[in-house]
Every structure is written in structure tokens, then in C-alpha cells.
């Protein structure tokens, strides 16, 4: 009783009801994390031209956006800060009254049920736009992870539930874990950008976060898009160092990597970041009438979850929830 004519796979596709009974992958609000750009200067707030639908907010005018997210039962936000002043060391990243520390306090006062994840990197805070401390045009690893540890501690003190180091420095998770633990923040979790590629899909983000490198690129720390086996080494290292959740970034061009991590580390929670370029490509094609935005966005998000992601960081978060609820 193997094949045709007894076996007809189309039987399970013949009506919406039966298709929904046999559907393997479902999306809901709990699958999403909403990224937010927070600016210090009011004149920097407003729409991001390369990411239609995305805005930059000041801490003072953040509540409305948080309401949109919380009322849709999206469990978490991921914060990126754009400071008023940048310097060579990125010192505003760890300033106690820095823009992200203030944003975290505000959100935790007003929206206790929303988990706050703070991106930990220096690129938005350095005047050269690199992710760490630079000497002789090189990003120094060990000095940089100390700065990440200070930054993570500042965010933990402000009330962050999770910190998310995104700089791809060696030892960054270990350095952050021990600094958090030494100061009594054992319960602050680490979502590590464990597998982050040197991708051209980050273009629009660099406008949104004002963090394009002034010289050179990020290929001495971010991974070569050609490599998948190396991703297992990155993931294993970060788990050993104490990462609670792993991330693969970008998402759609790296579904094999997501699936590979899911198989290799079955017990590790796995996040995937649908990055700015993935978002803007869909928006641009839809604006031209070339694709159906809703269908393409939901298909992309479904494929990311099907590949093995437990949670997806996406600029479509609120919109996707509305689409899924029939809007
Ligand atoms: C670095 C960081 C970047 C993104 C998230 N964190 C940019 C980079 O590595 O150059 C990109 C996210 C996106 O493209 O949506 N702090």
C-alpha cells in the first residue's frame, strides 16, 4: 500500500479546514520580537526613509509604540540606541543615563509584562562606526569585550530582562556573563548574536541606527556568508560561555544555518533576525505592485519558523499580528 492510486497527498489540501488541521507551522504574536530605534535628540526622531513603516522614537514619546506592541501580545522588544554624542570609545553606550538605559527604565515602569532586550554593541556609539575599540584601524577584541560587559551591566541596572551582544567578538558572552554575575544580575539572560554574518542585508539598518563604519568593514569579526560549519563552532562556544538563547542573522538567506543549529543544539532556544534589508526588499517590491506584501511577508516569517527558529526579530511584528488576526 505504498503509492498511487491509494496514496493521494492532495486529499489533505482540498479545503481550508483540512489544510489548517494538517498545517505544520503556525505563526502567532508570541513568535515575534519587535525592534525599536531610540534616539536621544528629538530632531533625530521620525520615519526611516529606507524602511517604510519604521520610525525612530525618543524616550519621551515611546509609550504609544509600546502600547501597539503590548496590546498585540508581542512578548518582547529589542532596543537600539542612537546617542546625541559619539566618541572614539562609544562611552554613551554604558553611560548610566544613556539613551538605552533611560528607555529601559521607562518601559519597565510602564509596560512590566513586555520583556526588554537591549542590543549590546558600540557601533551606534562610536564616531568611527565600528563595533568596538579601534587601534591602528583594527577592532581590538579584549578591550572591546570589556566595554560590552560595562554596557550590559548598565542595561541590567536599568532593568533589562535580556542583553543581546551583537558585536561578534570572541569571549563576549563569557565577559558579559561574569560581569553580570559579579554584580548580582544572575537572572539577566543573554541572547547572543552567536551566528551573525558580514551581510549586505544590513544596509537600511545602518541608516536607521546611524552606524555605517567610516572606514573598512566588519569582516574581521562577522562571519563569511560562505560558511555554515563555522556557525556550529560559534554556537557551541557561545553556549559554553553561558548564552541562554542563540541567534542567527540574517534569516531568509541563512535558513540552512537556522536548520543546522536547530539539529545540532536541540535544547537551545533559537532566535532568527529578519534584518532591515529583508524587510525593505519586501516593502519596495510591494510598493511597486510587484508582490503581495502581506503574503510574501507571512511566507518569509513562516519559512523562518519552519527552519527551526523559536522566535523572530522582525520589523513586521505589529503588522504581522494584524495580518494574522485577519486585518
Ligand atoms: C550592530 C547591529 C547591526 C544590526 C543589528 N545590530 C548592524 C551591523 O552589524 O552592521 C543589523 C540589523 C538589521 O539590519 O536589521 N549593532
Amino acid at each position: 500500500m505504498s503509492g498511487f492510486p491509494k496514496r493521494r497527498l492532495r486529499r489533505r489540501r482540498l479545503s481550508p479546514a483540512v489544510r489548517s488541521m494538517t498545517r505544520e507551522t503556525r505563526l502567532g504574536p508570541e513568535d515575534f520580537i519587535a525592534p525599536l530605534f531610540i534616539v536621544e535628540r528629538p530632531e533625530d526622531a521620525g520615519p526611516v526613509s529606507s524602511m517604510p513603516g519604521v520610525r525612530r522614537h525618543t524616550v519621551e514619546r515611546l509609550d504609544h509604540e509600546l502600547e501597539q506592541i503590548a496590546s498585540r501580545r508581542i512578548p518582547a522588544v529589542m532596543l537600539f540606541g542612537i546617542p546625541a554624542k559619539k566618541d572614539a570609545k562609544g562611552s554613551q553606550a554604558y553611560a548610566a543615563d544613556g539613551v538605552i538605559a533611560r528607555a529601559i527604565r521607562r518601559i519597565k515602569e510602564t509596560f512590566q509584562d513586555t520583556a526588554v532586550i537591549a542590543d549590546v554593541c558600540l557601533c551606534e556609539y562610536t564616531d568611527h562606526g565600528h563595533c568596538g575599540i579601534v587601534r591602528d584601524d583594527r577592532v581590538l577584541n579584549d578591550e572591546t569585550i570589556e566595554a560590552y560587559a560595562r554596557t550590559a551591566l548598565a542595561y541590567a541596572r536599568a532593568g533589562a530582562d535580556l542583553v543581546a551582544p551583537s558585536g561578534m567578538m570572541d569571549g563576549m558572552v563569557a565577559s558579559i556573563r561574569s560581569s553580570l554575575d559579579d554584580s548580582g544580575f544572575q537572572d539577566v539572560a543573554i541572547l547572543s548574536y552567536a551566528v551573525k554574518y558580514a551581510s549586505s542585508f544590513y544596509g537600511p539598518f545602518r541608516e536607521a541606527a546611524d552606524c555605517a563604519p567610516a572606514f573598512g568593514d566588519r569582516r574581521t569579526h562577522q562571519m563569511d556568508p560562505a560558511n555554515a560549519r563555522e556557525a556550529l563552532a560559534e554556537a557551541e562556544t557561545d553556549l559554553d560561555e553561558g548564552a541562554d538563547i542563540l541567534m542567527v542573522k540574517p534569516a531568509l538567506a541563512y535558513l540552512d544555518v537556522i536548520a543546522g543549529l536547530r539539529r545540532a543544539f536541540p535544547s537551545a532556544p533559537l532566535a532568527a533576525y529578519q534584518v532591515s534589508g529583508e524587510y525593505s526588499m519586501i516593502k519596495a517590491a510591494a510598493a511597486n505592485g510587484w508582490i503581495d506584501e502581506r503574503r510574501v511577508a507571512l511566507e518569509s516569517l513562516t519559512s523562518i519558523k519552519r527552519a527551526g527558529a523559536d522566535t523572530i526579530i522582525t520589523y513586521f511584528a505589529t503588522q504581522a499580528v494584524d495580518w494574522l488576526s485577519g486585518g
Side-chain angles (χ1 to χ4, degrees):
M1 140 68 193
S2 46
F4 185 81
K6 284 198 174 148
R7 189 160 202 230
R8 289 177 184 266
L9 291 167
R10 289 186 57 202
R11 281 188 202 112
R12 62 172 83 158
R13 300 180 198 139
L14 292 179
S15 72
V18 176
R19 285 198 293 276
S20 86
M21 285 164 59
T22 56
R23 184 159 299 134
E24 299 175 29
T25 308
R26 292 167 211 275
L27 288 175
E30 64 285 353
D31 291 316
F32 305 129
I33 296 171
L36 290 176
F37 297 107
I38 324 256
V39 296
E40 196 151 26
R41 293 186 306 200
E43 62 266 36
D44 291 335
V48 177
S49 63
S50 56
M51 301 176 71
V54 173
R55 303 179 68 85
R56 315 207 294 185
H57 308 273
T58 57
V59 176
E60 291 68 31
R61 309 191 61 180
L62 195 54
D63 288 6
H64 176 71
E65 190 68 18
L66 259 295
E67 254 156 51
Q68 302 296 313
I69 293 163
S71 65
R72 286 171 175 79
R73 308 200 171 284
I74 293 166
V77 290
M78 166 86 91
L79 307 184
F80 297 97
I82 298 99
K85 280 193 321 255
K86 303 184 186 230
D87 59 28
K89 292 187 341 203
S91 58
Q92 282 302 306
Y94 44 80
D97 60 349
V99 59
I100 289 303
R102 288 194 296 112
I104 296 167
R105 280 191 217 103
R106 175 70 199 162
I107 299 169
K108 283 283 121 183
E109 257 163 42
T110 324
F111 297 91
Q112 284 89 2
D113 295 338
T114 302
V116 173
I117 310 171
D119 182 87
V120 173
C121 194
L122 296 189
C123 65
E124 300 96 335
Y125 301 90
T126 52
D127 50 16
H128 44 68
H130 280 288
C131 301
I133 309 296
V134 170
R135 193 178 308 137
D136 301 329
D137 289 0
R138 290 166 64 99
V139 180
L140 304 179
N141 194 85
D142 298 14
E143 288 80 347
T144 297
I145 62 177
E146 266 174 50
Y148 289 175
R150 286 178 73 173
T151 304
L153 193 53
Y155 299 161
R157 288 197 172 112
D161 300 285
L162 300 94
V163 291
S166 64
M168 289 296 283
M169 296 296 131
D170 288 326
M172 66 182 185
V173 173
S175 155
I176 289 172
R177 187 71 271 158
S178 68
S179 118
L180 291 176
D181 290 354
D182 289 348
S183 299
F185 294 106
Q186 289 85 356
D187 291 339
V188 172
I190 300 178
L191 192 179
S192 180
Y193 287 67
V195 181
K196 176 173 175 180
Y197 286 92
S199 169
S200 299
F201 285 94
Y202 308 148
F205 177 94
R206 292 181 184 172
E207 180 202 327
D210 188 19
C211 69
F215 57 87
D217 54 42
R218 308 215 201 287
R219 279 184 283 191
T220 67
H221 43 105
Q222 298 179 348
M223 279 179 56
D224 183 336
N227 295 355
R229 296 191 300 269
E230 187 185 354
L232 301 179
E234 283 288 357
E236 188 177 14
T237 308
D238 281 15
L239 285 172
D240 283 348
E241 291 180 22
D244 299 284
I245 306 176
L246 301 175
M247 189 204 294
V248 172
K249 176 185 169 191
L252 199 63
Y254 298 87
L255 294 181
D256 60 322
V257 177
I258 296 172
L261 253 62
R262 170 44 71 238
R263 271 194 301 276
F265 306 99
S267 69
L270 186 56
Y273 197 146
Q274 183 190 50
V275 300
S276 55
E278 299 178 63
Y279 174 84
S280 297
M281 287 197 305
I282 295 174
K283 285 281 179 185
N288 277 294
W290 296 334
I291 59 170
D292 179 324
E293 178 180 354
R294 172 182 177 278
R295 288 173 179 276
V296 171
L298 291 178
E299 184 175 332
S300 301
L301 293 166
T302 302
S303 71
I304 294 164
K305 187 168 179 190
R306 190 195 64 229
D310 298 303
T311 178
I312 306 169
I313 300 137
T314 172
Y315 303 98
F316 283 113
T318 53
Q319 178 108 73
V321 174
D322 291 345
W323 285 328
L324 290 167
S325 58

